[in-house]
Amino acid sequence: MSHISSYQADIKLQTALEQGKSVEQDPGWEILNEAVWACAEEMNLDVGHSIRDYYGRLVYCDWSLAGPAFDRGIGIRVNRDTGDVMFICDSYGGYERIAGEIKEKVIQNYIALCVTRALSSLNYEVEVEEVKHPVEGKKVLVKGVL
Amino acid sequence: MARSVRAEIGARREIKVEFSGFPGESCFDEAERLKEVLKELGLWAIPVTVTPKTSSEIAREIGEEIAEKKKVLHS
C-alpha cells in the first residue's frame, strides 16, 4: 500500500543538546545558516547579527536579515538550553507583512533542505524543484527515488 | 515498481508527502524513518492527516509503470 501524509513543521535544534554538546554543533545549525543565506539571496537582503527596534536600539541575535525596505530587520535566535528557534522583530509601523514573509521563507528553505538531506541519507536519489503558485506562493517539490 | 517519496513544501510550514510503490504496510514504516531523520536534523514533522491511497490510485501507478515498460520494449 502507499499513502499520502500531511504534516505541520516546527524547528527545534535538540540533537546536539541531547548528546551534551552545544546547540551550535547541532546538524540543524548549519542547515539554518544555509536557509538564512538562501532567503537573503532570494529576497536581496543582508545577513548580520543584530536588528533594531522602533527606537533604534540594537538587539543581538544569531542571524538577522534586513534590507533597504526593511532596515530594522528580523532576527533569529536559538535558545541555548532548549534549542527552540525564535524569530524576533519589532514590526510596529507596518512591518508585519514583510517580517512574516521573511520568516516563512526561512522556514520553507529549512524544511526543503532537511527533507532533501533526510531522503539522501535514506539512500534516495533526490531531485528538487521550485514551483511558483499564484495564490499559495512558492512551493518546493522534493522527489526521492529508491 | 520503484519506491518513491514526493514531498511538497508549502509557504506556511505545511508538508505533503506522497509515498508510492511501497509493498504492504511498509510505507508507514518508511514515513516513521523519514520523520526520525528529520527530527535529528531539527525538523519536527507533526502529522495532520494520513490518507491511504485508493485501490484505483495504486492501480493507476502500477498501470503507468506497465505502460512505460511496454514503451521501452517496443523501442
Side-chain angles (χ1 to χ4, degrees):
Chain A
M1 203 206 289
S2 300
H3 75 278
I4 300 169
S5 292
S6 67
Y7 303 91
Q8 193 67 26
D10 198 13
I11 306 173
K12 207 178 230 193
L13 312 187
Q14 283 191 336
T15 305
L17 290 173
E18 283 170 358
Q19 295 166 356
K21 296 177 190 165
S22 72
V23 78
E24 289 91 340
Q25 291 173 283
D26 197 281
W29 185 275
E30 189 240 315
I31 298 172
L32 191 51
N33 184 54
E34 211 174 310
V36 167
W37 280 95
C39 176
E41 196 179 316
E42 200 179 331
M43 297 182 77
N44 202 21
L45 299 167
D46 296 320
V47 180
H49 295 286
S50 64
I51 58 165
R52 287 190 184 275
D53 68 7
Y54 174 76
Y55 299 102
R57 290 176 300 206
L58 216 55
V59 179
Y60 289 98
C61 41
D62 295 309
W63 294 272
S64 64
L65 285 158
F70 184 47
D71 55 357
R72 244 182 250 172
I74 182 167
I76 301 160
R77 203 180 259 171
V78 184
N79 186 303
R80 296 301 191 268
D81 298 320
T82 64
D84 286 341
V85 176
M86 290 163 292
F87 286 80
I88 47 171
C89 172
D90 187 347
S91 59
Y92 179 76
Y95 291 106
E96 291 91 350
R97 195 192 57 79
I98 182 76
E101 201 180 316
I102 295 168
K103 178 184 167 183
E104 293 307 331
K105 205 144 271 184
V106 170
I107 294 170
Q108 189 181 35
N109 288 340
Y110 187 90
I111 299 170
L113 287 165
C114 281
V115 173
T116 305
R117 285 181 194 209
L119 288 175
S120 293
S121 79
L122 292 170
N123 298 318
Y124 284 82
E125 266 184 45
V126 187
E127 279 177 27
V128 184
E129 189 189 339
E130 285 187 8
V131 181
K132 289 232 163 74
H133 191 280
V135 181
E136 294 169 34
K138 186 183 91 174
K139 283 190 176 190
V140 184
L141 306 177
V142 183
K143 191 179 178 190
V145 180
L146 266 182
Chain B
M1 182 184 177
R3 285 169 291 171
S4 69
V5 177
R6 183 184 182 274
E8 187 181 298
I9 299 141
R12 286 171 195 84
R13 320 174 170 214
E14 70 278 12
I15 317 169
K16 194 169 116 183
V17 189
E18 183 179 352
F19 296 85
S20 303
F22 289 85
E25 302 283 304
S26 63
C27 60
F28 295 109
D29 298 333
E30 193 67 352
E32 274 308 305
R33 282 174 71 201
L34 178 61
K35 222 175 98 179
E36 279 308 306
V37 179
L38 289 173
K39 196 172 157 189
E40 281 171 24
L41 297 174
L43 186 77
W44 296 54
I46 302 139
V48 180
T49 60
V50 179
T51 315
K53 286 186 181 173
T54 61
S55 49
S56 61
E57 282 173 322
I58 294 170
R60 199 161 51 237
E61 279 172 16
I62 296 165
E64 279 169 11
E65 176 81 0
I66 291 164
E68 277 172 25
K69 276 182 184 166
K70 275 182 183 168
K71 214 161 98 182
V72 172
L73 283 172
H74 284 297
S75 67

